[in-house]
Amino acid sequence: MDAMALRLDDVGAASKQHEVYGITRIPVGPVALPFPGNLLFLKYLPPIKRWAPYAEMTAAQWEGILTTLDAAKARLTVAVTAGWVERDGRIVPFPTKFPDQARALRGGRERGLLEIANHGYTHCVLEDALFRPRLFSGNRPYHREFYDWLPEDVHREHLRVSQDILGSWFGVAIETLVPPGNVLSAKTVRAAPAAGIRFISRAGGAPSGETAGVVFVDDTRVVAFHDRDLVRRGVPFLRQQLTAYGGATFVTVSDLGRQQVAER
Ligand SMILES: [Zn+2]
């Protein structure tokens, strides 16, 4: 069995607070009836709420993850959003907002168990506070970052600043970009090399064929999940992933990228 990579997204992403939307259909027998799941408070109530809010993983939960990886001789790529967006739009760097978690991740990287990847600067659109929950609708479309309708310099700046925050905290070059929600534009790809990005991990490959010399990691070999899965289901969820692929060895996403380059 070939090497594969496990990729955990959304660490440090404030979308876990702000991306609020509800179910809009309820199955009743063979039909799905319309349901106003995005109305006012309804979207916050289980089982109507579909995504947020949920908690950031704690440092103790990270230690459990690291122990499990170590025992399985597996590595994990953690895609971190470098800035936490507060409700008023202020952006707080991940190591400032979550110092204990940031230390746990740094330890895990130093032990060789984790690759830290870039999962954007904000995970959402900041313009006009579009990321905030609304009264009468969901806000899911604005919880993506690298839309083509945003100007080229937004793509460049978000990459530059996020690379800066993560690179200085972790003390290593961050080589892999995981665009939030798989949304990526040719503008992002063109801006990537100057920010030190060598690999992009995303379902769907290069947008409009633009690669700018960046390697798009074969996504059939990447198993992506979210911190939400671990917050809700804990270490057993990770164990399940580790055994679900017939004895595959788990390397990092950037390792897969390097293999791809070598095989060319
Ligand atoms: Zn995400």
Side-chain angles (χ1 to χ4, degrees):
M1 182 87 195
D2 276 339
M4 294 184 67
L6 296 177
R7 196 190 81 209
L8 168 59
D9 296 354
D10 288 356
V11 170
S15 293
K16 62 172 64 68
Q17 278 304 317
H18 307 306
E19 184 178 348
V20 180
Y21 61 100
I23 52 174
T24 51
R25 297 252 150 195
I26 291 186
V28 177
V31 293
L33 294 183
F35 181 81
N38 282 317
L39 192 64
L40 301 172
F41 61 89
L42 285 180
K43 56 185 168 292
Y44 290 96
L45 300 179
I48 297 163
K49 77 167 190 173
R50 288 182 62 186
W51 192 258
Y54 63 93
E56 187 66 35
M57 281 171 67
T58 64
Q61 285 171 325
W62 276 114
E63 289 309 325
I65 299 298
L66 296 176
T67 308
T68 308
L69 291 170
D70 203 9
K73 299 195 187 336
R75 304 179 75 197
L76 172 69
T77 293
V78 181
V80 180
T81 299
W84 176 272
V85 182
E86 299 288 0
R87 228 192 108 71
D88 62 8
R90 272 179 315 123
I91 303 175
V92 185
F94 174 70
T96 309
K97 180 76 184 176
F98 298 110
D100 297 342
Q101 289 90 332
R103 267 190 296 275
L105 288 177
R106 189 158 66 182
R109 204 213 59 82
E110 284 162 0
R111 285 163 68 188
L113 298 170
L114 304 180
E115 174 196 14
I116 305 299
N118 182 328
H119 197 45
Y121 178 37
T122 59
H123 205 296
C124 65
V125 174
L126 292 174
E127 277 74 0
D128 305 323
L130 289 170
F131 65 90
R132 283 196 206 159
R134 311 173 168 209
L135 285 180
F136 297 106
S137 61
N139 62 357
R140 187 161 211 231
Y142 300 109
H143 282 275
R144 307 289 181 259
E145 184 170 344
F146 296 108
Y147 279 115
D148 194 49
W149 50 264
L150 290 163
E152 198 115 26
D153 63 324
V154 170
H155 293 255
R156 218 175 11 243
E157 273 304 288
H158 280 224
L159 282 186
R160 189 186 64 76
V161 178
S162 53
Q163 286 289 91
D164 241 37
I165 293 171
L166 298 175
S168 7
W169 174 259
F170 289 102
V172 285
I174 308 294
E175 300 177 293
T176 305
L177 172 66
V178 179
N182 290 308
V183 173
L184 187 65
S185 139
K187 295 173 184 172
T188 333
V189 182
R190 283 196 292 273
I197 302 289
R198 301 180 57 200
F199 309 109
I200 293 179
S201 179
R202 173 217 192 212
S208 52
E210 177 73 64
T211 66
V214 177
V215 174
F216 281 79
V217 178
D218 177 4
D219 66 77
T220 64
R221 293 168 72 184
V222 176
V223 180
F225 49 97
H226 296 92
D227 61 351
R228 187 175 190 264
D229 301 312
L230 289 178
V231 168
R232 287 155 57 112
R233 296 163 64 189
V235 162
F237 176 84
L238 178 62
R239 287 216 186 91
Q240 238 172 48
Q241 305 308 308
L242 289 166
T243 52
Y245 301 91
T249 49
F250 291 102
V251 300
T252 64
V253 171
S254 62
D255 285 338
L256 284 185
R258 260 180 282 277
Q259 273 182 29
Q260 263 173 249
V261 175
E263 284 159 10
R264 268 181 194 164

